[in-house]
Amino acid sequence: MTASTNFSSGTVVTKEWLNAVDAHVFDYAVNVKDYGALGDGTTDDTAAIQAAIDSSYGADVYFPPGTYRVTAPLLLNTQGAILHGGNHRVTTLMIDQTTGPGINISQPYCQVIGLTVKASTTRQAYTTGSTYELVPNLFGIQIYNNGGYLTQTRIERVWSFGHPNNGFYMGGEGADSMFINCAAYSNRGHGFYFDGRALLGGTASRCGLVSLIHCRGTDNGGNALFADDPAAMCYRMWIYSFETIKNAWNTAIAGLVNAELHIGGENQHLQQCAQSDENGDTATIMDQGLWPRLAKATASVGLFI
């Protein structure tokens, strides 16, 4: 890998430097800049990034530090596709479209690591009705294949910020998957949403065997975490050290006024999860079946197990 310069700090980026800041080995990575992406925050890098993804054949698709403007969903539609940035502070996908998710994962064994998936100001403000209306399908990251079995999706060190619907959405047969050190901030819908294809209108199914480890939902319009569906409830979800702060800041989503968590279905487990209200007061859930203190409000949905 040839050396390049980090445009924001002047740091000389070499293979040795990359290996020092991240455990991944990039010897066989596909670099999006080799396909024409600029990462300058202005140029439309969608076609270049998609070309890198389509040519990767299971190798990491690497994003050097920068802000990559995207104007159509990035499609991870081959098994084992991997998007890998440096970390969420130095690598940003700025999602600048008003149709579809920022990233769409439709095949098993895919990974997204070390990125911020941030809505542009145009996308953040987009609505087809009232200020608080959820715009269909405008998720940060969508994990979904109607009728297809999705397994071993891994989302690690990813922030999803400012989208007009859910920050992270997983629907259908999403199983054996992990969310590690992820955060959902200021999305209009839920921070993390797991369902049985209620939103996207597919055949009835459900998510299961999913772990969230050291994740956070802050200042989202719905729940910090919503895992339930009336038709086919989610099952066997493990939530460890999940932190929620000041979610459900609007009253336009029926039944979700200051509702921080909604964990429904079979065999759910929460451990050492913290919930803070708008004044910063915190309660901790130490084990399965205990209720956290709700954010201060006149109406609350609460925690379901």
Side-chain angles (χ1 to χ4, degrees):
M1 181 181 292
T2 58
S4 60
T5 300
N6 179 338
F7 76 95
S8 61
S9 65
T11 301
V12 175
V13 179
T14 64
K15 182 174 70 175
E16 290 74 22
W17 180 84
L18 289 169
N19 287 337
V21 299
D22 195 285
H24 260 254
V25 177
F26 289 97
D27 288 341
Y28 302 103
V30 173
N31 191 319
V32 295
K33 291 198 171 183
D34 291 340
Y35 286 78
L38 296 182
D40 59 8
T42 302
T43 303
D44 185 353
D45 287 327
T46 311
I49 295 171
Q50 191 64 55
I53 294 171
D54 295 342
S55 302
S56 63
Y57 301 108
D60 285 23
V61 176
Y62 175 61
F63 294 78
T67 298
Y68 299 84
R69 179 170 169 258
V70 174
T71 59
L74 297 178
L75 305 179
L76 275 62
N77 52 15
T78 57
Q79 292 190 16
I82 303 171
L83 304 188
H84 202 303
N87 62 65
H88 72 272
R89 292 186 179 277
V90 301
T91 307
T92 297
L93 299 181
M94 185 179 70
I95 310 304
D96 196 24
Q97 80 263 10
T98 55
T99 55
I103 299 174
N104 183 54
I105 300 173
S106 61
Q107 294 296 318
Y109 312 113
C110 292
Q111 301 180 49
V112 181
I113 305 170
L115 297 168
T116 287
V117 183
K118 180 180 180 180
S120 68
T121 55
T122 299
R123 181 177 170 93
Q124 288 185 49
Y126 183 72
T127 180
T128 58
S130 68
T131 302
Y132 298 122
E133 181 179 350
L134 302 185
V135 183
N137 306 336
L138 262 65
F139 314 127
I141 295 181
Q142 174 179 299
I143 306 164
Y144 175 75
N145 183 357
N146 185 20
Y149 186 70
L150 283 171
T151 186
Q152 296 187 36
T153 303
R154 184 183 180 101
I155 312 296
E156 181 177 353
R157 293 181 286 119
V158 174
W159 286 24
S160 185
F161 181 87
H163 299 281
N165 206 302
N166 305 312
F168 297 90
Y169 171 80
M170 189 174 203
E173 293 285 1
D176 297 325
S177 296
M178 301 182 74
F179 294 75
I180 304 171
N181 292 122
C182 294
Y185 279 81
S186 299
N187 299 287
R188 203 177 299 168
H190 304 297
F192 297 81
Y193 185 30
F194 303 88
D195 88 326
R197 297 181 176 155
L199 285 188
L200 300 185
T203 57
S205 188
R206 58 181 181 173
C207 298
L209 303 172
V210 178
S211 298
L212 287 86
I213 303 170
H214 296 295
C215 293
R216 172 185 290 182
T218 299
D219 211 21
N220 297 289
N223 292 65
L225 171 62
F226 188 99
D228 195 6
D229 184 273
M233 290 188 288
C234 302
Y235 69 103
R236 295 181 185 174
M237 298 197 65
W238 290 268
I239 299 98
Y240 298 96
S241 300
F242 189 94
E243 183 180 21
T244 75
I245 306 172
K246 286 184 63 180
N247 293 282
W249 44 261
N250 73 70
T251 60
I253 304 174
L256 295 177
V257 182
N258 284 299
E260 296 267 26
L261 300 171
H262 188 132
I263 316 296
E266 308 166 5
N267 305 316
Q268 317 298 352
H269 182 85
L270 290 89
Q271 186 173 14
Q272 296 179 339
C273 298
Q275 179 164 315
S276 300
D277 63 22
E278 60 186 5
N279 295 323
D281 300 325
T282 301
T284 301
I285 312 161
M286 293 302 296
D287 208 347
Q288 180 177 353
L290 300 181
W291 288 60
R293 182 160 47 82
L294 302 173
K296 296 178 180 179
T298 57
S300 298
V301 172
L303 174 65
F304 293 78
I305 297 182

